[in-house]
Amino acid sequence: MTTDTLSDIFGALADPTRRAILEELTQGPRPMGVIARQFSISGPAVTKHLKVLERAGLVRSNRKAQSRLRSLDATRLEEAQQYIENYRQYWEQSFYRLDSFLFGLQTKEINDDNNH
C-alpha cells in the first residue's frame, strides 16, 4: 500500500457527493443515468465524480450491452480501513491510559477522605 493510493482513496472520499455515489452502489451495479437521478447536479458533474472514484479504484465500469454499469469495488476501502485501524488502536491505548490515570486520582481522593 502506497501513500499515493491512500491519497487517491481519501481524496475521493473527501467529497459528500462521491460518498453518496458509493452508498448508492452498495445496492448493486447501476448505469450512470440511474446514479445521476439521485443528485441535483448535471450528468457531466456526476461523470466527473465517477471518474475520480474509478481512478481511486473504488468504482469499476463494465459494459453490458448498450450501457456501462458502475459498481462498487470495496477492496480499496479495506486499505483505508487498515490505515485508520492503526490510529484507532492508538486512541484506544490513550483512553486506557487516561482511564487508569483517572481511576488512580479517584482512588487517591477516596483514600485521602478516609484518612481525614
Side-chain angles (χ1 to χ4, degrees):
M1 165 174 41
T2 66
T3 304
D4 292 334
T5 300
L6 286 174
S7 294
D8 290 344
I9 294 167
F10 287 121
L13 295 174
D15 185 274
T17 301
R18 291 192 287 268
R19 291 192 305 269
I21 290 170
L22 291 177
E23 180 68 27
E24 173 69 20
L25 293 175
T26 63
Q27 303 303 311
R30 303 274 191 267
M32 201 288 280
V34 171
I35 296 168
R37 278 184 282 209
Q38 307 299 317
F39 304 97
S40 58
I41 58 176
S42 69
V46 171
T47 299
K48 287 181 182 181
H49 285 296
L50 286 166
K51 286 182 181 185
V52 170
L53 292 167
E54 287 175 11
R55 276 194 305 272
L58 299 172
V59 169
R60 286 188 310 254
S61 177
N62 300 313
R63 278 234 179 256
K64 185 173 184 180
Q66 295 296 323
S67 66
R68 183 185 306 192
L69 297 177
R70 289 349 192 272
S71 59
L72 175 66
D73 184 350
T75 306
R76 287 284 176 91
L77 290 175
E78 178 68 24
E79 293 177 38
Q81 190 276 330
Q82 288 173 356
Y83 176 80
I84 291 169
E85 178 65 20
N86 293 329
Y87 292 95
R88 185 188 65 79
Q89 290 174 2
Y90 166 80
W91 282 109
E92 282 184 359
Q93 291 170 359
S94 296
F95 289 137
Y96 177 76
R97 287 190 303 273
L98 178 61
D99 283 345
S100 296
F101 175 75
L102 293 174
F103 181 75
L105 286 178
Q106 186 178 30
T107 302
K108 183 179 181 304
E109 282 182 13
I110 291 170
N111 288 339
D112 287 349
D113 287 346
N114 288 339
N115 289 334
H116 291 190

